PDB file of all heavy atoms in Angstrom:
ATOM      1  N   ALA A  11      -1.353  16.109  -6.647  1.00 35.00           N
ATOM      2  CA  ALA A  11      -2.234  16.413  -7.759  1.00 35.00           C
ATOM      3  C   ALA A  11      -2.267  17.895  -7.972  1.00 35.00           C
ATOM      4  O   ALA A  11      -2.168  18.679  -7.040  1.00 35.00           O
ATOM      5  CB  ALA A  11      -3.641  15.904  -7.398  1.00 35.00           C
ATOM      6  N   LEU A  52       5.992  -7.352  -1.689  1.00 94.00           N
ATOM      7  CA  LEU A  52       5.801  -7.032  -0.261  1.00 94.00           C
ATOM      8  C   LEU A  52       5.311  -5.601  -0.093  1.00 94.00           C
ATOM      9  O   LEU A  52       5.465  -4.778  -0.977  1.00 94.00           O
ATOM     10  CB  LEU A  52       7.104  -7.259   0.519  1.00 94.00           C
ATOM     11  CG  LEU A  52       8.381  -6.503   0.104  1.00 94.00           C
ATOM     12  CD1 LEU A  52       8.424  -5.113   0.682  1.00 94.00           C
ATOM     13  CD2 LEU A  52       9.627  -7.285   0.529  1.00 94.00           C
ATOM     14  N   LEU A  74      21.548   5.720  -7.849  1.00 94.00           N
ATOM     15  CA  LEU A  74      22.681   5.534  -8.756  1.00 94.00           C
ATOM     16  C   LEU A  74      22.238   5.628 -10.206  1.00 94.00           C
ATOM     17  O   LEU A  74      22.880   6.298 -11.010  1.00 94.00           O
ATOM     18  CB  LEU A  74      23.299   4.166  -8.455  1.00 94.00           C
ATOM     19  CG  LEU A  74      24.427   3.730  -9.424  1.00 94.00           C
ATOM     20  CD1 LEU A  74      25.611   4.685  -9.344  1.00 94.00           C
ATOM     21  CD2 LEU A  74      24.870   2.294  -9.138  1.00 94.00           C
ATOM     22  N   VAL A 223      -8.421   9.485  19.545  1.00 95.00           N
ATOM     23  CA  VAL A 223      -7.010   9.464  19.985  1.00 95.00           C
ATOM     24  C   VAL A 223      -6.876  10.085  21.378  1.00 95.00           C
ATOM     25  O   VAL A 223      -6.108   9.600  22.212  1.00 95.00           O
ATOM     26  CB  VAL A 223      -6.097  10.154  18.969  1.00 95.00           C
ATOM     27  CG1 VAL A 223      -4.696  10.344  19.531  1.00 95.00           C
ATOM     28  CG2 VAL A 223      -6.032   9.341  17.691  1.00 95.00           C
ATOM     29  N   ARG A 344     -19.552  -7.823  22.342  1.00 88.00           N
ATOM     30  CA  ARG A 344     -19.630  -8.944  23.303  1.00 88.00           C
ATOM     31  C   ARG A 344     -19.297  -8.525  24.705  1.00 88.00           C
ATOM     32  O   ARG A 344     -19.955  -8.893  25.685  1.00 88.00           O
ATOM     33  CB  ARG A 344     -18.711 -10.100  22.886  1.00 88.00           C
ATOM     34  CG  ARG A 344     -19.174 -10.875  21.667  1.00 88.00           C
ATOM     35  CD  ARG A 344     -18.360 -12.166  21.528  1.00 88.00           C
ATOM     36  NE  ARG A 344     -16.923 -11.907  21.494  1.00 88.00           N
ATOM     37  CZ  ARG A 344     -16.219 -11.740  20.426  1.00 88.00           C
ATOM     38  NH1 ARG A 344     -16.814 -11.801  19.215  1.00 88.00           N
ATOM     39  NH2 ARG A 344     -14.908 -11.523  20.472  1.00 88.00           N
ATOM     40  N   PHE A 351     -24.038  -9.874  33.125  1.00 67.00           N
ATOM     41  CA  PHE A 351     -23.977  -9.280  34.471  1.00 67.00           C
ATOM     42  C   PHE A 351     -24.553 -10.243  35.468  1.00 67.00           C
ATOM     43  O   PHE A 351     -25.237 -11.217  35.085  1.00 67.00           O
ATOM     44  CB  PHE A 351     -24.714  -7.930  34.524  1.00 67.00           C
ATOM     45  CG  PHE A 351     -26.201  -8.053  34.462  1.00 67.00           C
ATOM     46  CD1 PHE A 351     -26.973  -7.962  35.620  1.00 67.00           C
ATOM     47  CD2 PHE A 351     -26.827  -8.283  33.248  1.00 67.00           C
ATOM     48  CE1 PHE A 351     -28.359  -8.097  35.563  1.00 67.00           C
ATOM     49  CE2 PHE A 351     -28.216  -8.414  33.186  1.00 67.00           C
ATOM     50  CZ  PHE A 351     -28.970  -8.334  34.332  1.00 67.00           C
TER      51      PHE A 351
END
Side-chain angles (χ1 to χ4, degrees):
L52 57 84
L74 173 62
V223 170
R344 288 194 305 268
F351 71 101

